[in-house]
Amino acid sequence: MTPDARFAPPDAKLIAADIERAFAEDLGSGDATADLLPADAHASARLTCRDDAVLAGTPWFDACFRRLDPTVQIDWQATDGQRVAPGSVICQLQGNARALVSAERSALNFLQLLSGTATATARHVEAVAGTAVRVLDTRKTLPGLRLAQKYAVRCGGGHNHRIGLYDAILIKENHIIAAGGLAAAVAAARGIHPGLLLEVEVENLDELTQALVAGVDRIMLDNFTPALMREAVALTAGRVPLEVSGNVDLVTIGEFARTGVDFISVGALTKHVHAVDLSLRLQLD
């Protein structure tokens, strides 16, 4: 079976760098409390999820423990992208006791954050069920954890917008003003970066018409009402994919999706993080 590309995490070196930053701020020069345990003590632990959640972040969780104990045994009962019920034991570990207690907080921080992102994404995806809309993330991510959070969005059934400012062009109001108009901004972008996806944000139907004439790859409807979204869909007539942005939440997203647009981007997926409640219980062997 071909692995699902949605669940392909970032390169292991990037995950390792995330772990080093987390350990630098949490462990510093060492875990003073873990020193209370014998250096050769062995322990087992089990991880329980207390929420209805979609799991994401197991590569970061594993890397935390393996950084301190390369021989640790980690047995997952769930996989990233899978929904888990409250009270579920989702993982069991066996390894050096000091390593387990020292890595615990950083490992749980990654898992609770990324599972929270995946869970929020899944709820938004469920809210547009029955439509052809794709739910997108944005660049409103926690500094230093963009690739991790965008991975979590995919685990929740969402799709990634551009990763950064380098892999796609999104022309907004300030770019248009600086370039001397929408058409001029589009022409300049095409000339400088002809191979990148080119999207333009518009605030009304007149700007939408200008974007269609300019020949962009995608158009973002910024803070349009549902009625204006339907007019935009009719005016565009399938020539260019339309993306909705602004005022999107679990209450509005279904109505927006039913207007016939193609994408809805949701900044809240990654910036309004509600961590999943996890508990790791240790027992000395």
Side-chain angles (χ1 to χ4, degrees):
M1 180 180 295
T2 303
D4 192 328
R6 291 177 301 168
F7 305 144
D11 185 271
K13 291 182 180 179
L14 294 176
I15 294 176
D18 290 342
I19 304 310
E20 291 306 314
R21 291 196 307 274
F23 278 0
E25 66 185 7
D26 196 37
L27 293 179
S29 59
D31 183 347
T33 310
D35 290 343
L36 300 176
L37 299 171
D40 60 351
H42 195 270
S44 58
R46 65 179 189 171
L47 177 66
T48 302
C49 182
R50 293 172 172 163
D51 290 331
D52 177 14
V54 174
L55 187 64
T58 60
W60 286 261
F61 182 94
D62 292 352
C64 283
F65 289 104
R66 292 193 170 120
R67 170 66 175 78
L68 299 185
D69 179 5
T71 66
V72 65
Q73 297 180 34
I74 305 175
D75 180 22
W76 285 99
Q77 278 78 58
T79 59
D80 280 2
Q82 180 178 338
R83 187 176 291 277
V84 295
S88 300
V89 175
I90 58 175
C91 183
Q92 297 190 48
L93 305 93
Q94 290 185 325
N96 178 270
R98 285 188 179 183
L100 291 181
V101 298
S102 295
E104 173 189 2
R105 184 69 269 154
S106 295
L108 292 181
N109 283 349
F110 282 113
L111 197 66
Q112 69 187 20
L113 163 70
L114 299 182
S115 295
T117 297
T119 302
T121 302
R123 289 174 181 154
H124 284 80
V125 171
E126 289 163 4
V128 302
T131 73
V133 163
R134 291 188 175 190
V135 175
L136 302 177
D137 55 24
T138 71
R139 289 168 45 243
K140 297 174 182 177
T141 53
L142 297 181
L145 290 176
R146 177 166 297 170
L147 292 179
Q149 284 194 285
K150 282 183 173 284
Y151 166 78
V153 166
R154 299 196 301 274
C155 288
H159 298 265
N160 296 148
H161 203 285
R162 57 181 177 165
I163 301 300
L165 295 172
Y166 57 87
D167 61 333
I169 296 173
L170 175 53
I171 296 175
K172 296 189 175 187
E173 180 182 16
N174 286 336
H175 304 111
I176 293 171
I177 293 172
L182 190 151
V186 171
R190 287 291 193 208
I192 300 169
H193 299 290
L196 294 182
L197 181 142
L198 176 55
E199 181 172 8
V200 171
E201 178 183 85
V202 302
E203 297 180 349
N204 51 58
L205 294 179
D206 178 61
E207 291 181 354
L208 171 64
T209 300
Q210 294 179 50
L212 289 171
V213 171
V216 301
D217 300 315
R218 187 186 299 175
I219 298 173
M220 177 183 288
L221 309 178
D222 183 41
N223 290 307
F224 274 44
T225 65
L228 277 177
M229 291 178 200
R230 286 189 286 271
E231 287 191 51
V233 170
L235 180 62
T236 305
R239 287 176 286 172
V240 178
L242 296 177
E243 174 184 341
V244 166
S245 176
N247 299 316
V248 181
D249 56 32
L250 287 172
V251 175
T252 62
I253 192 170
E255 181 181 10
F256 292 175
R258 290 188 290 274
T259 64
V261 296
D262 303 283
F263 303 98
I264 300 179
S265 53
V266 189
L269 302 181
T270 52
K271 72 171 183 171
H272 296 162
V273 178
H274 181 81
V276 169
D277 190 2
L278 302 168
S279 174
L280 187 72
R281 291 300 176 89
L282 189 81
Q283 180 176 344
L284 289 176
D285 294 339

